[in-house]
Amino acid sequence: MKIFRGRVFTPVGDPFSAGDATASYRAWHDGFVAVDEGRIAAVGDWRDAPRAAEVTNFGPDSLISPGFIDTHLHAPQLEMIGSYGGHLLEWLNRYTFPTEAKFADPKHAEKVAKIFFDQLLRNGTLTALVFSTIHAAATDIFFAEAERRGIRAIIGKTMMDRNAPEVLLEKARDSYEQSRQLLLKWHNRGLLRYAITPRFAPTSTPELLELAGSLKREFPDAYVQTHISENAREVSWVHELFPQAEYADVYDTYGLLDKHTVLAHGVYLTDEELDLLSHRQSRIAHCPNSNLFLGSGLFKLHHVRECGVVVGLGSDIGAGTTPSLFTAMADAYKVQQVQNVSLTPLQLWYLATLGGARALSIEDETGSLEAGKSADFLVLDLESTPLLALRMEHAESAEDLLAGLIFVGDDRAVSRAFVAGREVLRRDRVEEPVVS
Ligand code: GUN
Ligand code: ZN
């Protein structure tokens, strides 16, 4: 048994639900997390910590928190962050497709895979749902690198058979076969899971969606990830391509909606579509940084949640401009502010941790610091920069401490990270002024 000592904060419930928000979390100024064989054995006040175990004391200026959970991003798009000008459909054609075509070369995939998972860990993301490209070899490389790093990841080979450059199109049957092979190799291997990944309705023929659905029927516990209703022109295009149905019905027709389905964006969903998603228990990945960068629109978080749909947070690299979930939380706050809704720091931290775990149906395993769960946690350095240290001097409560981290903190605050009790990141303070 190992004991980790420091400040501790963890959500244990949903702070959006009516009632007392203070019941939705636990916090200890001088707390501990006890870890045994990769699992959390106990969490609480230091005075109640089990004795006679090996203790690592991070000190009072460190916060132990659950790791962040990114419910939507594209590994191959890391190198094209900040490709500016144009909304979704121009952006895809101008930048995204040419970038993804480079992943036909496994050497390129190897290079990017290393940097990609490095960036996730530095930013405190310990669980991620990830798009690869159409390339089976590149997807295999992303899985292998995730396994090597010890991160918890759900990854899928993108499936596309129309409306993209020729080099990124596959035959629907090949796409199915290659996805199936990757699924058989990686799904439920250690911390890894497979996601069946039709890119979105416009790049899918009915035949491709049919085959994606039959793969899902064959492997009902596999994930499905795709995009939905991100951009107004995209929605009109889907109506032209699939005139018989609303956008969400397209995926439903092919059996692609269940509780292991995560749909990115959902900015323009109708109430009927939200009812359908709620009924099917499908999830939405809200990606505020991406929605702002591409000018896609303003997500109606409360309305979507009130319709009974579970929502997680996503960075949506590379339409999102950073893998940081600190930024995703800050941008989620701003997207609601301009719609006259003020999210609380407890709600934002929940979305980035336990809420994300619920979105991925892994809340029994991770997302909070509670006995029995996997020991997935971050150690955040509350003095990682002079500005954060100053802000922390004025943090009045656990909630205000989170606010400081969300709006002033960044990847430099992530000093250590553990997944299933294994240390996956250790970083010293990086910044010292030349003259102080
Ligand atoms: N819709 C279809 N593909 C993509 C993508 O790569 N990024 C975003 N943001 N939306 C998409
Ligand atoms: Zn995306």
Side-chain angles (χ1 to χ4, degrees), residues 72-74 77 91 131 199 226-227 230 264-265 287 290 316-319:
H72 180 74
L73 79 169
H74 300 253
Q77 295 177 14
W91 175 85
F131 269 63
R199 178 175 214 115
T226 186
H227 298 89
E230 173 179 7
H265 307 299
C287 307
S290 161
D316 193 24
I317 290 291

Side-chain angles (χ1 to χ4, degrees), residues 382-383 385-395 408:
L382 302 174
E383 297 191 334
T385 67
L387 182 58
L388 186 62
L390 176 69
R391 177 64 179 81
M392 287 303 148
E393 279 179 33
H394 300 277
V408 182

Side-chain angles (χ1 to χ4, degrees), residues 11 159 168 205 207 215 220 297-298 300 391 414:
M159 307 173 80
L168 284 181
T205 60
E207 187 195 359
L215 194 55
L298 300 175
K300 296 182 213 58
R391 177 64 179 81
V414 181

Side-chain angles (χ1 to χ4, degrees), residues 86-146:
H87 292 177
L88 174 65
L89 301 177
E90 299 84 43
W91 175 85
L92 282 173
N93 286 315
R94 206 181 291 160
Y95 305 110
T96 314
F97 292 149
T99 301
E100 292 195 8
K102 290 161 73 180
F103 287 77
D105 176 4
K107 286 261 167 314
H108 185 66
E110 270 164 26
K111 173 185 156 189
V112 174
K114 287 199 165 49
I115 304 173
F116 176 75
F117 287 110
D118 202 41
Q119 283 299 314
L120 292 196
L121 294 177
R122 279 168 172 262
N123 283 282
T125 295
L126 304 185
T127 300
L129 174 56
V130 182
F131 269 63
S132 173
T133 58
I134 65 155
H135 307 100
T139 309
D140 196 62
I141 287 164
F142 285 126
F143 268 115
E145 185 63 17

